[in-house]
Amino acid sequence: MKRIFGYLAKYKKESFLAPLFKMLEATFELLVPLVVKQLVDVGIKNADKPYILKMCGILVLFCAIGFISASTAQYFSAKAAVGVAADLRHDMFAKVQKFSHADLDTVGISNTLTRLTGDLNQVQTGINMTLRLLLRSPFIVFGAMILAFTIDVRCALIFAVAIPLLLAVVFAITLVTIPMFRKVQAKLSDVLKSTRGSLIGARVIRAFCAEERMTKEFDGENDALCAMQKRTAKISVLLSPLTYLIINFAIIVLIYTGAVRMEAGLLTQGALLALYDYMSQILIELIKFANFVITVTKSIASAGRIDEFFGTGSERGTLDAARDASKPYICFDNVSFAYAGGGDVLQNISFTANRGETVGVIGGTGSGKTTLVSLIPRFYDATGGSISVDGLDVRAYAGDDLQKKVGFVPQKAVLFRGSIRDNMHWGKADATDAEMIDAITRAEGADILKAKGSLDAAVAEGGKNFSGGQRQRLTVARALVRKPDILILDDSASALDYATDARLRATIRSTDNPPTTFIVSQRAASVMHADKIIVLDDGEAVGIGKHEELLETCPVYREIYDSQFKKGGDDGEQ
């Protein structure tokens, strides 16, 4: 909650004025029973019409002032709540943008979305209600009790007994439900995670006729959430009936005691009516306060989860290291890597790459190819050994200086909604039309521009209005337009035919000052012309060398090659 208060400090004026106007409204509300008492005991008793009209006018005035005060308080409380939520959302999104790949793996997308939406909205509602009701409800409850003592001490003692009982019920239920609401929010993230997985894999699920299985898994998560919500609700809903029970019993005692004292001439009709009004005000306020407590309980749980979110993420510092000009352009020195909570994915990898060279990375599924190239732009930090780029340890690069050197084309081609031009600007914000067209042409995408008409052709979300091959070529073009020093093609030609793939590789090699290119592929044809090929098997480099060398010395590479090309036939030359 300290973090939330820190954001609320920016809205000091609103946070002060909202409760102030609510207290003003509450003050006039507390004066109403006293006016009614005078109206009954003086005006009605004496049939004094001018006095009655005067008191009625005062009541109307109090109503108008209360309405204006309440509206003003609502405005300021809403302004503060929405402002805090907007600032939090901005900082949370900025935090996500700074997450490393390891952080995203740890936090999870579903948990992140839950905090950015449900938790944040709950905190916004909690702030709004806190500014309006935190002071108003206790002020009216205790103010009504104090004013009851000014009317009749004996009857007011009923208030003194009922109010502590009510507060005990409220606080007891609050203490029990706060951790329960936190668990409900966590379980909701599990349901969102299951839902997201089903939506992303919908085609695969249908292809393997696994709808029933996924439905059962979702029902299990959903039923667990439902059961937890029911357990929490069974306790939280006790708040309203218990407060009703205590207040109504107090009203019965009050009416009985007041009737006895009226019969004895110790209490007037107006006084009893005023006491009843005060008890009714306490009832209404405590019902509001009960709902307020439930909402704030959820908000506190959500605020805790948001605070955990800000505390998540490894702060990766910059290594204090000097540039070693004698080192090759890219150097892996005995590098190992393991994901959090798992064993080594890469073990003792060592190799070098010079400027302009093409390095192929090949191996079976799960051999660590993508992980290997992801260490170059420091998407992940190696858990053992060291990696240097241009003679400087990757951990010594400040900010995004290292990423600016790299053009990365991921396995899954990702296009953003907008136009082709907009997507090219992701690679280079100030790219000219000529640079974009040149990059697309080099990525074998000239036919895409011809078919779509221009750079302003619309791109649907995820590039769904393009074929798989078109998406891949445009993502390659997006990397090429920035003219990177290092180009990483992570299995980015899987949807291209062999001829197009070969032309794309040839075009990249033939450019002026070609980038140091890493080609990750399961196709031997895609890497066989590389200056160096790294063969991975279960996280280990079982072979490093040229195509001909590896055919002679590396059984794993030879097996991959033989499985894709007939012995004695087509040798894969493109």
Side-chain angles (χ1 to χ4, degrees), residues 166-182 232 235-236 238-239 289-298 300-301:
L166 290 165
L167 292 176
V169 169
V170 169
F171 283 111
I173 292 177
T174 301
L175 291 175
V176 173
T177 53
I178 283 179
M180 297 183 75
F181 279 120
R182 187 176 288 115
T232 307
I235 297 175
S236 62
L238 290 174
L239 203 53
F289 195 71
N291 293 325
F292 163 72
V293 167
I294 292 172
T295 301
V296 169
T297 299
K298 294 179 181 179
I300 291 173

Side-chain angles (χ1 to χ4, degrees), residues 48-254:
D48 189 344
K49 290 184 179 180
Y51 189 82
I52 293 173
L53 291 174
K54 177 184 175 182
M55 291 295 105
C56 288
I58 292 174
L59 290 175
V60 171
L61 178 63
F62 283 0
C63 178
I65 295 175
F67 174 77
I68 294 171
S69 299
S71 300
T72 306
Q74 177 61 55
Y75 169 77
F76 285 118
S77 63
K79 185 177 179 182
V82 172
V84 168
D87 294 342
L88 267 172
R89 190 177 293 109
H90 176 274
D91 289 350
M92 289 174 73
F93 187 79
K95 175 78 174 178
V96 172
Q97 298 304 304
K98 293 179 181 178
F99 275 172
S100 66
H101 282 47
D103 296 333
L104 286 172
D105 293 342
T106 301
V107 177
I109 295 175
S110 59
N111 282 335
T112 302
L113 290 175
T114 301
R115 284 161 173 76
L116 276 165
T117 52
D119 286 329
L120 199 54
N121 290 338
Q122 191 64 56
V123 167
Q124 178 180 323
T125 302
I127 292 172
N128 196 342
M129 292 191 70
T130 298
L131 293 177
R132 291 188 292 117
L133 296 178
L134 181 61
L135 295 180
R136 172 195 157 89
S137 292
F139 179 75
I140 286 187
V141 169
F142 289 104
M145 183 177 70
I146 292 169
L147 290 174
F149 273 100
T150 65
I151 296 173
D152 187 81
V153 175
R154 181 113 178 235
C155 290
L157 291 174
I158 300 170
F159 288 75
V161 174
I163 291 174
L165 286 174
L166 290 165
L167 292 176
V169 169
V170 169
F171 283 111
I173 292 177
T174 301
L175 291 175
V176 173
T177 53
I178 283 179
M180 297 183 75
F181 279 120
R182 187 176 288 115
K183 290 179 181 178
V184 167
Q185 289 297 106
K187 185 58 69 176
L188 178 61
S189 294
D190 293 340
V191 173
L192 287 174
K193 183 178 180 181
S194 177
T195 304
R196 180 178 178 274
S198 296
L199 290 173
I200 291 175
R203 294 183 180 181
V204 177
I205 292 169
R206 291 195 193 100
F208 287 92
C209 302
E211 292 92 334
E212 283 190 31
R213 173 188 163 192
M214 296 307 298
T215 301
K216 286 180 181 178
E217 288 184 8
F218 177 80
D219 286 344
E221 295 284 354
N222 195 36
D223 290 345
L225 172 62
C226 184
M228 191 171 290
Q229 286 177 321
K230 285 180 179 179
R231 285 197 299 270
T232 307
K234 284 177 182 178
I235 297 175
S236 62
V237 297
L238 290 174
L239 203 53
S240 291
L242 286 176
T243 50
Y244 267 110
L245 179 65
I246 295 171
I247 285 290
N248 286 328
F249 184 74
I251 288 175
I252 292 171
V253 176
L254 175 64

Side-chain angles (χ1 to χ4, degrees), residues 321-332:
R323 190 181 299 276
D324 185 356
S326 64
K327 282 188 174 183
Y329 187 61
I330 295 175
C331 180
F332 274 59

Side-chain angles (χ1 to χ4, degrees), residues 339-417:
Y339 290 103
D344 282 348
V345 178
L346 297 174
Q347 302 172 44
N348 307 319
I349 306 290
S350 295
F351 70 88
T352 61
N354 296 317
R355 283 183 182 272
E357 282 189 341
T358 299
V359 179
V361 183
I362 194 168
T365 302
S367 59
K369 303 186 297 295
T370 296
T371 302
L372 177 70
V373 294
S374 294
L375 298 178
I376 298 171
R378 205 186 172 192
F379 290 160
Y380 296 95
D381 275 336
T383 52
S386 64
I387 305 167
S388 65
V389 172
D390 197 14
L392 188 62
D393 194 297
V394 292
R395 294 167 295 175
Y397 281 90
D400 56 359
D401 290 348
L402 177 61
Q403 283 74 30
K404 288 178 180 177
K405 288 176 171 286
V406 181
F408 194 97
V409 184
Q411 284 180 324
K412 182 180 179 181
V414 177
L415 294 178
F416 298 94
R417 184 177 60 186

